[in-house]
Each structure stands twice: as C-alpha cells, then as structure tokens.
Amino acid sequence: MLRSTIALSVLIVLNSAFDLNHIEPHIDILLKPLKTSDERIRQHGYPAESHFVETTDGYILNLFRIPYSPRLGNQHDRRPVVFIQHGLFSCSDGFLLNGPENAIAYNFADAGFDVWLGNARGNIYSRNHSTLSPVSPKFWKFSWHEIGTIDMPESIDYVLEQTGESALHYVGHSQGGTVYFVMLSSRPEYNVKIKTGHGLAPAVFMGNVTDSIVSALAPYVGSPGMGTNLLSDQPFVPYNPHVQRLLDTACGGEPAYPKYCKTLFLMWAGDEQSNLNATLLPQLAETHPAGISTNQGIHYIQLKVSNKFRQYDFGSKKNKKEYKQEEPPEYPLEKITANTFLYYGLNDGSANSKDMKRLPGYLPNLRLFYEVPNPTWGHLDFIFAKQVKEEINKPVIQYCKDYEDQY
Ligand SMILES: *[C@@H]1O[C@H](CO)[C@@H](O)[C@H](O)[C@H]1NC(C)=O
Ligand SMILES: *[C@@H]1O[C@H](CO)[C@@H](O)[C@H](O)[C@H]1NC(C)=O
Ligand SMILES: *[C@@H]1O[C@H](CO)[C@@H](O)[C@H](O)[C@H]1NC(C)=O
C-alpha cells in the first residue's frame, strides 16, 4: 500500500504544518477497536482465542487464534499451524472481513489448520508496552525492521510453544511479506521453523514504484535529512473512532457507496479496485488504517530511492554508529532457505511486477513464482477481491496441505 503511505505522508506534513496532532494526541492513540478480531470470529460461530506476547523490547502484541473448525469438529485431531501476517495499515481483521466463505483465515480453519493471526507493534491491537506509553515518541521508534527481527520471530516462538509444534506455515500480505524476508535473512535460524512461506504481493524491491506522490516526496524523506527528522518516530494517521463511526453510518448498507467512502478507500488502496468486493467497504472503513509508525512509510520510500532492499537509513553519521558503515546494510536474501512461494499481480502499484521479477535471482529455495493471470489484479486484491478464494486462498492452502501430505 505504498501509494497510500504516500498519500498519508502528505497528510502528516499538513498535520505538522498546522500542528493538528497537538490538539488531542491521547484520544486517537489510546483507542480500542470497535469490535475485536476474536469477537468477529465468534460472531460467525467459530471458536476464537486472544493471546498476548511481550517482546524482548517490551511491546505487547495481541495475537488471535481460530483453533479449529466447527464445521469439521476437528478439535481433537492434530492440526498443522498457519501464521498469517497483515500488511501496512492493516491488522488481523483484514483476514476476516470477507466472512467464513471467502476469508483466508476461515478457509484455512475449514481445511483443518490451527490458524493464528499476528499483529505488528503499533497497530490498534499492539499499541501497548511494558514501560513506554504510546503517547511517547520513544514508543514509535521502530520500522518494519523491528517487526521482522523481533515481532515475527517472537510471535512464532510463542505459537510453536503453545501448540507443541516445531514449525509452521507462514502467509504474509505486503508488509507481512517484507517482514518474512527481513526475519529469514537477518535471523536465518528461523528458516527451519517455516514449513512453507507464502508472500502475497510482498514489498521488497521498490525501485519501480511509479507513483507521482512517491516521486514528489522522495526528495524530502527518501534520504535522511530535515524531512525525515520532522516526520520520524510518530504514529502515522492513527485509527480515529469519530471518523470510523461516521463512515460506518454513512457508508453502511449503501449499494452504490457514497463518493467520499470511495475517496477514503482510494487513499489506502490506490486506484486498484476493479476486483474489490464492494460489500466490504464499510467494514474496511471501520478497521483501517489500523496504525503504523511514520518510520515504516519512510523506510519504504528509502527503498524506492535506493532501489535496494536494505536496513533503515539514519544518515551516514548515525549509520556508522548503528551499522559500523556509512550505508545501511542490505538484507542477505540468499540466506532464505525455507520453502518460499510468491504471488504477484500485474496491476499492483506497490509490489510492482518488475520489482518482483528481481527476487527469484536471490532466493535459493523458491518453490513458486506465480503471476495472477487476471491483468487487473492489484495490491489489495490478494485479500479483498471477489475472486480471492479461487485465485489465492485455495492454491495457498493446497500447497500447505501438499507439504503436510509429503512429510
Ligand atoms: C498493557 O499491558 C499490561 C501488561 O500486560 C496490562 O497490565 C495493561 O492492562 C495493558 N494495557 C492496555 C491498555 O491494554
Ligand atoms: C526496475 O525493475 C528492473 C527489472 O526487474 C530492474 O532491473 C531495475 O533495477 C528496477 N529499478 C529501477 C529503478 O529501474
Ligand atoms: C464480500 O464481502 C461480504 C461482506 O463481508 C462477504 O459476506 C462475502 O462473502 C464477500 N464475497 C466474496 C465473493 O468474497
């Protein structure tokens, strides 16, 4: 969702200019979801659990679980584990909104899996810390590097411990794919804990992102400098209940949704909505954006400018301190030895097909490199398209089942 990152960065610039954040910072940042993922799951008659994982650096992450399927009644059978990780601006709700027939979380449960949904630090579910308050800038000093090197491995360890399994299947959309690459290249000992890993439009190389706003903002935040100093370490358009409720009422149940619902959605999704399940719009508005740190957006824009997949650029002075070199180190993708499956679309402005095509050359154990044949397939279609069950969910689940049958 890079396009949206950028649209929202513009808002942040405006925010800073007018000092709007100043008015009531606490209200937005300390919000609770209107309806939690476990409530959503139970409403559909599935069992749900809520778990908390405290990371070694103090962030308290909220994971959700669909332990088994009531349709199968398989609570006493052995169930392989799948861990599903959301994209930028999203949260665990994203994998539930299509409902029990079409959302990947339920589809996995109905295929006999024990389903776990992650939530990255800073989103609406994981905005808590053992010592830092989310109203403090220190809380927001992280990018997706920390999500990949800390949140993911520690969530996975927790899930493996809870389930008594030694490895699991991983599915990540967009940033959920980015952090898969970060985790397995930076902490290669996690490769053995992944049975199969599925990147749905993972954002890795970004050089070919052709967005006019990216280009417009790149000079300001694409490399370290005043723009970055001004914008780093803050919550990035936090979830706002007033806006959410308004949208919920205004967009709800409308067959041809009002123009501004569309506009709001476009802010997050770009213009790629040809395949989108429009019935979802009110729920999307209710649950997104779920919150990120500005550094996550800045880090992506840095990738666009450098055309490299590498760590956060703090500027040469601080880089020397952090990395012992002036340029940020590149992630060593060749260390990713887990069975990896990649899926990409031709109308995706964020995980652009040209950039995707650079990946196979780096990955020693790529099992699938799948281009969705529908030429209009966009970034959010991997989660919210009308055809998502047939086009994405079914094959992903089948590859996981094939692995289970084989081993
Ligand atoms: C944050 O986590 C602490 C420690 O687990 C807990 O006591 C507290 O209730 C949590 N706060 C919120 C707002 O969830
Ligand atoms: C765009 O994609 C091509 C082909 O994969 C690649 O060679 C190039 O480095 C990418 N980035 C830019 C900025 O062109
Ligand atoms: C579209 O979204 C609605 C509302 O969540 C859901 O009930 C329906 O199953 C979805 N349809 C498809 C084809 O995904």
Side-chain angles (χ1 to χ4, degrees):
M1 292 191 199
L2 190 72
R3 187 190 296 266
S4 27
T5 312
I6 311 315
L8 293 172
S9 338
V10 172
L11 290 185
I12 294 259
V13 176
L14 294 175
N15 268 4
S16 313
F18 296 105
D19 214 7
L20 291 178
N21 285 332
H22 197 72
I23 299 172
E24 269 185 297
H26 301 241
I27 291 192
D28 286 358
I29 298 174
L30 298 178
L31 272 173
K32 296 262 162 270
L34 294 175
K35 202 193 282 174
T36 56
S37 288
D38 51 335
E39 287 167 354
R40 288 178 191 278
I41 296 165
R42 264 182 236 114
Q43 267 186 349
H44 286 298
Y46 284 71
E49 295 173 13
S50 170
H51 292 255
F52 292 93
V53 177
E54 186 176 332
T55 64
T56 43
D57 59 349
Y59 288 85
I60 296 161
L61 312 177
N62 194 175
L63 312 186
F64 294 98
R65 179 188 194 186
I66 310 177
Y68 63 88
S69 164
R71 297 186 190 186
L72 300 176
N74 59 338
Q75 56 269 48
H76 302 300
D77 303 344
R78 186 180 159 261
R79 287 158 284 123
V81 175
V82 61
F83 184 90
I84 311 180
Q85 182 62 27
H86 63 80
L88 197 67
F89 293 120
S90 196
C91 62
S92 47
D93 293 340
F95 300 111
L96 301 168
L97 298 184
N98 291 7
E101 296 308 322
N102 297 298
I104 195 166
Y106 299 104
N107 290 169
F108 258 115
D110 289 339
F113 288 78
D114 180 356
V115 183
W116 291 75
L117 305 173
N119 277 302
R121 59 182 62 191
N123 89 11
I124 185 89
Y125 289 113
S126 299
R127 200 166 293 166
N128 191 7
H129 191 281
S130 56
T131 56
L132 297 173
S133 157
V135 299
S136 148
K138 279 193 184 144
F139 178 95
W140 297 97
K141 254 185 182 334
F142 63 83
S143 170
W144 38 259
H145 176 77
E146 285 73 19
I147 298 171
T149 54
I150 306 171
D151 295 356
M152 288 305 102
E154 295 184 11
S155 295
I156 286 173
D157 284 338
Y158 177 88
V159 169
L160 294 178
E161 193 190 304
Q162 289 286 312
T163 56
E165 295 280 306
S166 59
L168 48 69
H169 299 278
Y170 181 102
V171 179
H173 175 237
S174 187
Q175 180 189 263
T178 311
V179 297
Y180 171 84
F181 285 92
V182 171
M183 167 173 70
L184 296 184
S185 59
S186 306
R187 304 188 64 180
E189 68 275 19
Y190 277 83
N191 279 292
V192 296
K193 301 188 187 191
I194 304 293
K195 292 173 167 175
T196 67
H198 303 263
L200 311 178
V204 183
F205 293 116
M206 307 294 289
N208 285 289
V209 174
T210 52
D211 192 281
S212 57
I213 318 176
V214 176
S215 316
L217 266 176
Y220 301 103
V221 298
S223 35
M226 209 174 76
T228 320
N229 294 345
L230 196 71
L231 296 178
S232 56
D233 306 336
Q234 22 185 317
F236 198 54
V237 187
Y239 182 99
N240 180 324
H242 309 298
V243 175
Q244 307 299 333
R245 290 216 171 90
L246 188 79
L247 280 171
D248 200 23
T249 323
C251 308
E254 191 71 33
Y257 42 87
K259 209 170 167 190
Y260 58 86
C261 295
K262 202 166 152 181
T263 311
L264 239 135
F265 184 75
L266 289 183
M267 257 177 43
W268 303 322
D271 53 10
E272 313 142 349
Q273 55 164 323
S274 48
N275 302 302
L276 181 85
N277 176 0
T279 329
L280 286 174
L281 271 170
Q283 295 186 72
L284 269 173
E286 186 183 305
T287 50
H288 292 68
I292 62 164
S293 162
T294 47
N295 301 14
Q296 289 165 258
I298 293 171
H299 198 171
Y300 276 125
I301 298 171
Q302 290 179 348
L303 298 191
K304 150 83 182 156
V305 171
S306 69
N307 198 21
K308 290 180 174 154
F309 185 52
R310 63 183 193 180
Q311 293 194 41
Y312 196 87
D313 192 350
F314 297 101
S316 57
K317 216 167 126 192
K318 198 171 168 211
N319 286 345
K320 264 189 176 158
K321 230 175 95 191
E322 291 281 329
Y323 309 127
K324 319 260 182 290
Q325 58 186 69
E326 279 188 27
E327 297 273 310
E330 291 183 44
Y331 293 103
L333 293 176
E334 66 282 0
K335 291 191 177 165
I336 302 176
T337 54
N339 296 306
T340 298
F341 298 70
L342 301 179
Y343 309 75
Y344 64 96
L346 290 170
N347 187 31
D348 187 333
S350 308
N352 187 289
S353 60
K354 281 191 202 143
D355 288 327
M356 287 294 301
K357 283 177 181 154
R358 285 175 69 188
L359 278 168
Y362 291 86
L363 300 172
N365 193 14
L366 184 60
R367 308 310 286 254
L368 177 79
F369 192 58
Y370 179 66
E371 183 177 284
V372 177
N374 176 345
T376 64
W377 202 262
H379 199 59
L380 291 185
D381 286 334
F382 288 90
I383 310 294
F384 299 126
K386 295 185 287 280
Q387 315 87 321
V388 72
K389 182 177 186 174
E390 289 302 319
E391 190 58 70
I392 304 297
N393 303 359
K394 275 191 176 171
V396 169
I397 293 168
Q398 191 57 48
Y399 289 120
C400 297
K401 287 175 80 166
D402 290 348
Y403 178 96
E404 294 297 327
D405 291 344
Q406 203 180 329
Y407 295 99

